[in-house]
């Protein structure tokens, strides 16, 4: 069974006023198949924890460790963490002009798995996931997040989650900005991904 362990994690960030420590000794263990939720006010360090797990260069780990099946994550590059099975659904997904959703997904899947997925089964999987997430076929040829509404961006994040099949996923306020219908679709996608792969989830809200 896979396990993600955060042990006595202290993290700081550089601000205009100098170095500021945001996390002060966080401890958390997430086992495969478990869902953990972190709630708190703005500025309490929720997103800092998410970005630190993913390897954002803005955040400095002062002490402590993040272990994935006993292997130290903090020494890994961002792409190494992704290949190891970590996934971050961002609170504010960025636009990537000139890169279509189709190309982005296939390139990401190839980079993570080390080999390109068979084209016929891959197209079938993408179409099925998009259908379940109520995403129009035209999304596949649009540039990543460019001109997407808030709900469309969040559904695109869950599309990646379903297709890339990580071992552990951090969802940073994926529920924010969604109406009731979109929230239902996104939550169904998260549950579907968990049922299909048994991944561990850290929900930040």
């Amino acid at each position: 069974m896979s396990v993600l362990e955060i042990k006595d994690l202290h993290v700081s960030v550089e601000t205009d006023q100098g170095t500021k420590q945001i996390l002060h000794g966080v401890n958390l263990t997430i086992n495969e198949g478990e869902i953990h939720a972190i709630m708190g006010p703005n500025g309490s360090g929720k997103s800092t924890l998410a970005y630190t797990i993913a390897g954002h260069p803005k955040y400095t780990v002062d002490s402590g460790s993040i272990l994935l099946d006993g292997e130290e994550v903090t020494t890994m590059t961002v792409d190494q963490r992704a290949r190891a099975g970590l996934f971050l659904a961002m609170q504010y997904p960025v636009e990537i002009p000139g890169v279509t959703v189709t190309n982005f997904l296939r390139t990401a899947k190839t980079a993570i798995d080390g080999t390109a997925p068979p084209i016929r089964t891959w197209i079938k999987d993408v179409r099925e996931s998009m259908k379940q997430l109520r995403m129009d076929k035209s999304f596949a040829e649009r540039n990543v997040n460019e001109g997407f509404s808030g709900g469309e961006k969040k559904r695109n994040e869950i599309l990646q989650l379903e297709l890339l099949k990580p071992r552990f996923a951090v969802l940073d306020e994926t529920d924010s900005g969604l109406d009731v219908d979109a929230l239902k679709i996104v939550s169904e996608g998260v549950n579907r991904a968990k049922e299909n792969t048994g991944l561990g989830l850290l929900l930040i809200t």
Side-chain angles (χ1 to χ4, degrees):
M1 176 181 287
S2 289
V3 58
L4 180 66
E5 297 176 274
I6 300 169
K7 296 183 176 181
D8 195 26
L9 189 66
H10 293 73
V11 175
S12 61
V13 63
E14 290 297 327
T15 70
D16 293 337
Q17 289 75 40
T19 302
K20 181 179 180 181
Q21 192 169 77
I22 306 295
L23 301 182
H24 308 272
V26 174
N27 291 282
L28 179 64
T29 300
I30 306 173
N31 293 305
E32 178 183 320
E34 291 182 348
I35 299 177
H36 292 251
I38 294 180
M39 302 175 69
N42 291 336
S44 60
K46 304 185 304 296
S47 291
T48 296
L49 177 60
Y51 287 129
T52 301
I53 292 172
H56 195 298
K58 177 181 176 182
Y59 302 95
T60 301
V61 175
D62 299 315
S63 62
S65 61
I66 303 172
L67 302 172
L68 177 58
D69 292 340
E71 186 174 359
E72 182 60 59
V73 168
T74 59
T75 58
M76 297 180 184
T77 60
V78 174
D79 58 305
Q80 287 172 336
R81 298 180 198 213
R83 283 194 292 271
L86 295 179
F87 176 90
L88 170 65
M90 293 181 284
Q91 182 178 359
Y92 303 108
V94 297
E95 295 182 2
I96 311 178
V99 179
T100 65
V101 170
T102 296
N103 287 339
F104 175 81
L105 289 170
R106 186 167 169 80
T107 300
K109 184 67 172 176
T110 301
I112 288 172
D113 291 354
T115 180
I119 190 70
R120 185 171 297 178
T121 55
W122 175 248
I123 291 173
K124 179 183 176 182
D125 290 344
V126 172
R127 287 176 176 170
E128 180 60 27
S129 291
M130 289 181 66
K131 180 181 177 182
Q132 292 179 319
L133 288 165
R134 317 290 200 277
M135 299 174 76
D136 189 88
K137 292 180 181 178
S138 62
F139 270 85
E141 300 307 319
R142 291 174 65 181
N143 292 335
V144 177
N145 293 321
E146 193 172 35
F148 285 22
S149 68
E152 289 170 342
K153 287 181 178 180
K154 296 303 175 73
R155 276 185 277 177
N156 190 41
E157 294 284 287
I158 303 308
L159 177 65
Q160 295 169 45
L161 175 67
E162 287 201 72
L163 294 169
L164 299 181
K165 295 179 170 54
R167 286 193 282 169
F168 292 93
V170 180
L171 308 184
D172 190 9
E173 299 202 27
T174 302
D175 57 327
S176 66
L178 299 181
D179 59 28
V180 174
D181 291 335
L183 183 59
K184 181 182 178 182
I185 292 169
V186 165
S187 61
E188 286 174 350
V190 173
N191 286 331
R192 195 164 50 245
K194 178 179 176 293
E195 290 168 6
N196 291 337
T197 64
L199 82 162
L201 285 164
L202 177 60
L203 302 177
I204 292 174
T205 185

